[in-house]
Amino acid sequence: AQKITQTQPGMFVQEKEAVTLDCTYDTSDPSYGLFWYKQPSSGEMIFLIYQGSYDQQNATEGRYSLNFQKARKSANLVISASQLGDSAMYFCAIGGGFKTIFGAGTRLFVKA
Amino acid sequence: GEEVAQTPKHLVRGEGQKAKLYCAPIKGHSYVFWYQQVLKNEFKFLISFQNENVFDETGMPKERFSAKCLPNSPCSLEIQATKLEDSAVYFCASSQSRAASNYGYTFGSGTRLTVV
């Protein structure tokens, strides 16, 4: 069985600063993918970034980077130069086999 | 099309009534997934399809929930005899691949089901 844990219900960050959202996971699958999604207040789910379990390098997509530490089973999301539009719920997810399992989410508030 | 189309956007049902939700995946996406999100909390996996075949249904409360993906028709999720606890936003997502790939899922905008 797969499990995702996000321990930060809410986070605050000052505009233009960097923020790290924590995510740990558990799985018995040898091959899996780790994902981050953003859900603004409007409700849609937006795919941000992906990290494969065999990828040697941390994934980056623009201002988003994934700090992947396989031995510690962590996949933290780093958002650099935060913008007001980054205020949203952020979900970490693990995919393997036939489905993707999501964590409980972290609500990020960006302060002007 | 390039978006996952979910209909209706809102659905209100009296307790005990039937609810049917629809999802048209992106053309070319073989995989369809249904999730339930209660009060903007975590997503509960319900069921996945590869084309018209059920891939994984471990999340489905089978006594009242059923789902289909038939050729040339939108996929559907049906809830018989709705309960108050079924009130949630139901998201459909489609993908080119199963689960562990760099494409991620493309989500629809969701159907908000309110059971009164």
Side-chain angles (χ1 to χ4, degrees), chain A residues 32-33 35 37 39-41 43 45 47 50 89 91 95-100 102-104, chain B residues 33 35 37 40-43 45 48 55-56 58 91 98-105 107:
Chain A
Y32 52 90
F35 304 82
Y37 287 82
Q39 187 177 43
S41 57
M45 284 287 279
F47 167 59
Y50 163 83
M89 279 288 284
F91 291 94
F98 310 126
K99 63 191 176 192
T100 295
F102 289 79
Chain B
F33 308 85
Y35 287 85
Q37 186 182 33
K40 293 264 176 132
N41 288 334
E42 63 186 284
F43 285 70
F45 171 78
S48 60
F55 216 41
D56 185 325
T58 52
F91 284 93
R98 297 193 302 188
S101 88
N102 58 349
Y103 295 112
Y105 291 172
F107 278 83

Side-chain angles (χ1 to χ4, degrees), chain B residues 44-48 54-67 77-81 86:
Chain B
K44 179 188 173 187
F45 171 78
L46 295 175
I47 190 169
S48 60
V54 174
F55 216 41
D56 185 325
E57 57 182 348
T58 52
M60 284 281 274
K62 292 183 189 174
E63 61 277 7
R64 294 185 300 109
F65 285 61
S66 63
L77 177 68
E78 189 168 336
I79 309 172
Q80 302 285 342
D86 298 331

Side-chain angles (χ1 to χ4, degrees), chain A residues 34-91:
Chain A
L34 295 155
F35 304 82
W36 279 90
Y37 287 82
K38 173 183 178 182
Q39 187 177 43
S41 57
S42 51
E44 72 268 31
M45 284 287 279
I46 303 166
F47 167 59
L48 295 178
I49 195 168
Y50 163 83
Q51 178 85 42
S53 58
Y54 291 115
D55 293 344
Q56 297 297 313
Q57 291 191 318
N58 287 339
T60 59
E61 286 289 344
R63 294 186 299 110
Y64 304 108
S65 60
L66 200 153
N67 185 359
F68 180 46
Q69 297 185 45
K70 193 171 183 177
R72 299 179 66 178
K73 294 191 175 180
S74 75
N76 299 338
L77 178 70
V78 180
I79 305 175
S80 62
S82 296
Q83 301 173 356
L84 295 177
D86 294 334
S87 293
M89 279 288 284
Y90 288 82
F91 291 94

